[in-house]
Amino acid sequence: MMKFRFRRQGNDPQREKIKQELFAFNKTVEHGFPHQPSALTFDPQLQLMAIGTKSGAIKIYGSPGVEFTGLHRDTAVVSQIHFLQGQGRLLSLLDDNTLHLWELGGASRDRGGAKREGVVYLEEKRNYSVLGRPGLESCSVPEDYRCGKSLGPVESLQEHPQQPGKILIGYSRGLVVLWDLSTRNAEQMFLGKQQLESLVWERSGRSFVSSHSDGGYSLWAVASGNTYTHQPVSSSIPYGPFPCKAINKILWRTTQSGCPVVLYSGGMPRASYGDRHCVTIQQDKQHVTLDFTSRVIDFFTVHTTNLEHDYDDPSALVVLLEEELVVIDLLTTGWPSVPPPYLAPLHSSAITTSCHLDDVPAKLWDRLATAGNSQGTQHSWPICGGKNLAPTPKQQELLLTGHEDGTVRFWDVSAVAMTPLYKLSTANVFHTDCDPNDDPNNDPLDPTNDPEALQEEEWPPFRKVGCFDPYSDDPRLGIQKISLCKYSCRLVVAGTAGQVIVLGLSDERSDHTVDVSTVDLLQDREGFTWKGHDRLEPRTSPAPFPPGFQPLVVVQALPPASVTAVTLHAEWNLVAFGTSHGFGLFDYHRHTAVLARCTLHPNDSLAMEGPLSRVKSLKKSLRQSFRRIRKSRVSGKKRPVPTPTSKIQEANAALADQEEVAPVQRRIEPRSADDSLSGVVRCLCFADTYLRDGTHHGPTLWAGTNSGSVYAYALEVPGGSGCVEAVLGKEIQLMHRAPVVSICVLDGRGKPLPEPYQASLDLATAPDMTNPHSVLIASEEQLKVFSLPKVGAKTKFKLTAHEGCRVRRVATVTVCSTAQEDYSETSLVCLTNLGDLHLFNVPVLRPQVRYDCIRKEDISGIASCVFTKNGQGFYLISPSEYQRFSLSAKVITEPLCHYTNVLSCPHTSCPLLSSHLLSSHLLSSPVLTPPVLSPPVLSPPVLTPPVLIHSSGKALIWSWSPPLLL
């Protein structure tokens, strides 16, 4: 007995082995659109696309599921990237003038108890600091350019598509030189008079196109024997004769029809459209100006590169923008957009909340996919390189994101690619500012009312493209909370203006009026005046709703404060919601309000100002600050225990003083009852459990507030036409008054109760109703388990090992073993404001493992974290990217893929890079001074065509001999 009594926790070798088989922390994949992209390139042989960012990241994408990520050691802007075609290697140039060689490599990993072969990673092999100017001397430039001034930076380098040894070098002042690498001489000079922006070869190499700062472009003929060419074959200023912005980049693609496709960015008339971000596509009489909402970074076309073909025949245009990636189908009439299977901008409207569902039933999944397909035309994805080796997901997973513009987006997160599945908009339920649907004759589903079609007749022929829209017509539409029952297809979304919308899934379009009910949370209070925003005005006439989720009823909370908590029990047809003023219970089957409870403290005036009000009492803020300082000075003194007025308070007092505080925990600091926003409802929970006595169980509703209050109501849910009733059963006040983050009722085995319909449909083990239940209450300061129905204290854990530590997110997860197929454990996972994760056994609350997950400075990342039931999680690492992680040693979703290595393919034209940071002088007979650099050591060594990059004011010619600077 003594042996086991004094054994230290965590020293049991058998338990440590089990923990290793259950728990493992891995950051697995980054979903979404790369934040602040800065460079783009494409390998037409491997069909892989690479994006560089301002933070130094490089991300390579192929077919869905094929993703590779690399990160430079130093945080610097990736200014240029370039594939070594067909080799799985690329070069990156940073703005600190360093050059980096990357390589895709393979390895096997032990994941989830199994060895996975073929995993490919992106690894930096070498890096170089590019030296300065080598000191070139003589010049044979024409007299017109001998003005003592620099020719300006090298704006463009383009390798001859048929003769790799010849290069076009374009300088800012307009001079273009055809340089022969073998003879090291200028073969031909093209004397442009306008400032040069970019160059592109025509496929045959007999001509090239230059774009200029005046908004025009020119076609030049390349003919042997002509040393100097003064005039282009043709010139055009598409949007002139007015002053226009520069054409930053131009592409010229030949087709079998004989009419080339010309694509260019910029060129807009300065006075009228100087602030537009545009890419223009022209072919014969077809002319479209793609109008984007963010800046164009770069673009390329997917086209034939095989030299045996006589034409480019472009099939797609890929445009990288500052906030999204847009792909245009060039083979389909009208050049429509292609919906992306990944890289969709999660932040097309700012993300305000998220919700995850695992093991989605096939019927719901198929209906959502059908509704999503009806929202846009399906096209094949043109970037199809690599091979996805990951096994088919065992279950379908959904991530729902709520947005500032009142939309809810459904994402397929079953695998590596985060694919858009369906989008729901709630704006048409209400009248909003600048609402195009206010006209009852304007049906948004009628193609004749499509504003894009009406804009085609304008000049320039603008077409709005992309889905990134940072502006919201009405901030009150913002989605704050989401709850979805995957078995009944009932969805609840709640917003910023106190609106709670209950929706059902329909496969047909419907035109109907939505019923509206109001629930006044201040009905028993006097003297309170709401100073915040008004409620949204519901539509009184029938509105069109497309297939998908359609509104059944709108519940309007009064005052119209932001909804802070919501929960749905579809089996009982009940929805509960909470705000900063209280919580309500609504029967959406009978369209009747069941309960309205105010949680405001008499001094809680800040709650009446609303989230959009900027009025705040400075005097009150200072008073609260001084109060906290006084508390901290006496924190070490013994506090008198208040006189208990109920069994609940007695239990709390006994629990607080029953033993010495453990060394890894500190005492809880009590909070004032009149702290601002103390009435905010933080969590809600439905449960079938024992509340009135230990013999009869039934439906209950639990609510937790910011002031440490927990309200438990017993519900009467009749099966017929009777009304639902709610009776207060318990009211708990936590002594330390810390905000209640989560409430979870546990059955007789200490397991969380199943979701609605799970037990009745035999989709989960029925809960144990023979042994006593308990309730787990998690506050920002500690975790507590109380017995039911007497609410007696059973166990606790103060998660406050460090000053300032607060619990931010709590969830129960099921973690499966990698060694035993049928063994799993239910754990409680907590995320703190320090960004670390703690896992505990349930219900004994014994600490298991701790992981560092998010930087404590990343407040938005911590606030956005959401856990899955199978031990994974998501959090925002930028406004447009989710980081996915896993706490389970078995369930891991990460890239498992390979690329096709083509080393024996013939040389084809390389898309080359340009930079506006550099300057150089053109010399006809330069003195080549190789920098002291070692050639990269690669396996296997491969002779490749030279790669041309601009750096340090020169054209850097790179091959597997030391690079040369011109």
Side-chain angles (χ1 to χ4, degrees), residues 320-648:
L320 176 64
L321 305 164
E322 202 167 39
E323 303 293 350
E324 61 184 320
L325 184 82
V326 173
V327 176
I328 303 297
D329 183 354
L330 297 178
L331 297 180
T332 303
T333 303
W335 298 327
S337 299
V338 179
Y342 54 83
L343 282 176
L346 310 181
H347 65 318
S348 52
S349 176
I351 296 176
T352 49
T353 188
S354 59
C355 170
H356 180 272
L357 280 87
D358 66 334
D359 203 9
V360 178
K363 184 177 181 180
L364 171 60
W365 189 272
D366 293 341
R367 295 177 70 187
L368 285 174
T370 301
N373 291 337
S374 67
Q375 295 177 336
T377 306
Q378 301 303 305
H379 298 263
S380 60
W381 185 244
I383 303 168
C384 53
K387 183 179 180 181
N388 185 8
L389 302 179
T392 303
K394 295 182 179 180
Q395 57 173 290
Q396 305 285 6
E397 297 183 44
L398 277 177
L399 183 69
L400 280 63
T401 55
H403 298 264
E404 191 180 51
D405 62 356
T407 60
V408 178
R409 287 171 167 82
F410 293 65
W411 306 89
D412 178 2
V413 291
S414 311
V416 170
M418 185 174 181
T419 306
L421 193 65
Y422 163 70
K423 183 179 79 170
L424 164 70
S425 177
T426 63
N428 58 342
V429 179
F430 307 98
H431 290 283
T432 59
D433 299 336
C434 304
D435 191 348
N437 296 326
D438 280 342
D439 182 0
N441 298 319
N442 185 12
D443 184 350
L445 301 181
D446 186 351
T448 61
N449 293 324
D450 185 4
E452 293 185 3
L454 299 177
Q455 290 173 348
E456 290 294 335
E457 298 180 0
E458 298 180 2
W459 182 260
F462 286 118
R463 180 198 295 169
K464 288 286 186 183
V465 180
C467 61
F468 176 73
D469 184 6
Y471 306 106
S472 174
D473 290 339
D474 195 324
R476 296 175 297 173
L477 289 170
I479 304 299
Q480 297 299 321
K481 297 295 175 183
I482 303 172
S483 182
L484 173 61
C485 176
K486 58 191 178 184
Y487 305 112
S488 65
C489 301
R490 288 291 183 265
L491 171 68
V492 175
V493 295
T496 303
Q499 71 272 26
V500 179
I501 309 174
V502 183
L503 305 101
L505 189 59
S506 174
D507 299 326
E508 304 293 334
R509 169 186 161 142
S510 174
D511 293 75
H512 64 268
T513 303
V514 182
D515 291 339
V516 180
S517 299
T518 59
V519 177
D520 186 359
L521 300 178
L522 300 180
Q523 55 186 350
D524 58 346
R525 296 294 182 99
E526 296 181 357
F528 287 91
T529 303
W530 173 248
K531 303 175 184 178
H533 51 268
D534 295 330
R535 56 180 286 190
L536 286 163
E537 180 185 353
R539 293 187 181 276
T540 57
S541 58
F545 298 101
F549 278 105
Q550 299 174 353
L552 304 176
V553 62
V554 174
V555 184
Q556 179 63 57
L558 298 178
S562 179
V563 176
T564 56
V566 73
T567 189
L568 167 70
H569 201 295
E571 205 165 359
W572 301 337
N573 296 315
L574 294 176
V575 58
F577 59 91
T579 71
S580 54
H581 307 99
F583 58 93
L585 179 62
F586 188 81
D587 181 345
Y588 61 83
H589 178 67
R590 300 173 180 84
H591 289 202
T592 57
V594 178
L595 170 68
R597 173 66 186 257
C598 180
T599 56
L600 280 180
H601 189 274
N603 295 337
D604 198 354
S605 60
L606 188 60
M608 306 310 296
E609 296 174 1
L612 303 183
S613 172
R614 300 186 179 183
V615 181
K616 187 174 181 181
S617 171
L618 178 61
K619 181 178 180 181
K620 184 173 182 179
S621 299
L622 292 174
R623 183 172 66 248
Q624 291 169 349
S625 298
F626 282 116
R627 184 183 296 120
R628 293 190 184 97
I629 293 174
R630 287 197 300 271
K631 289 177 184 176
S632 64
R633 290 175 179 171
V634 298
S635 60
K637 299 181 181 180
K638 180 73 174 181
R639 298 185 304 279
V641 178
T643 304
T645 58
S646 67
K647 293 183 179 180
I648 307 305

Side-chain angles (χ1 to χ4, degrees), residues 800-942:
T800 52
H802 307 284
E803 289 292 332
C805 179
R806 295 287 186 271
V807 176
R808 287 290 179 258
R809 288 285 185 273
V810 175
T812 55
V813 299
T814 300
V815 185
C816 298
S817 171
T818 58
Q820 306 176 53
E821 188 67 29
D822 57 347
Y823 182 76
S824 64
E825 289 186 3
T826 299
S827 300
L828 184 76
V829 56
C830 295
L831 173 68
T832 74
N833 63 333
L834 301 180
D836 52 0
L837 293 167
H838 301 256
L839 279 91
F840 302 87
N841 273 357
V842 175
V844 295
L845 299 183
R846 184 177 296 113
Q848 297 301 299
V849 289
R850 174 194 169 277
Y851 303 112
D852 293 324
C853 181
I854 311 173
R855 293 182 301 107
K856 64 180 180 181
E857 298 83 9
D858 187 1
I859 299 175
S860 63
I862 294 172
S864 64
C865 186
V866 57
F867 297 105
T868 75
K869 293 184 181 299
N870 59 8
Q872 298 187 82
F874 303 80
Y875 67 91
L876 288 172
I877 54 175
S878 75
S880 59
E881 294 172 287
Y882 273 108
Q883 172 69 64
R884 187 171 189 154
F885 63 89
S886 177
L887 301 169
S888 169
K890 185 172 185 178
V891 181
I892 300 174
T893 303
E894 63 179 351
L896 185 63
C897 50
H898 211 293
Y899 72 99
T900 304
N901 194 348
V902 185
L903 294 179
S904 59
C905 56
H907 168 69
T908 59
S909 173
C910 298
L912 302 176
L913 308 165
S914 63
S915 170
H916 297 271
L917 306 175
L918 316 170
S919 62
S920 176
H921 294 282
L922 173 68
L923 306 175
S924 60
S925 301
V927 179
L928 297 176
T929 307
V932 184
L933 297 176
S934 300
V937 178
L938 298 173
S939 54
V942 179

Side-chain angles (χ1 to χ4, degrees), residues 19 22 103 313 334 345 363 462 629 688 783 790 831 891:
K19 285 163 60 173
L22 290 172
E103 187 178 66
D313 288 331
K363 184 177 181 180
F462 286 118
I629 293 174
D688 183 358
L783 313 172
K790 294 185 177 180
L831 173 68
V891 181

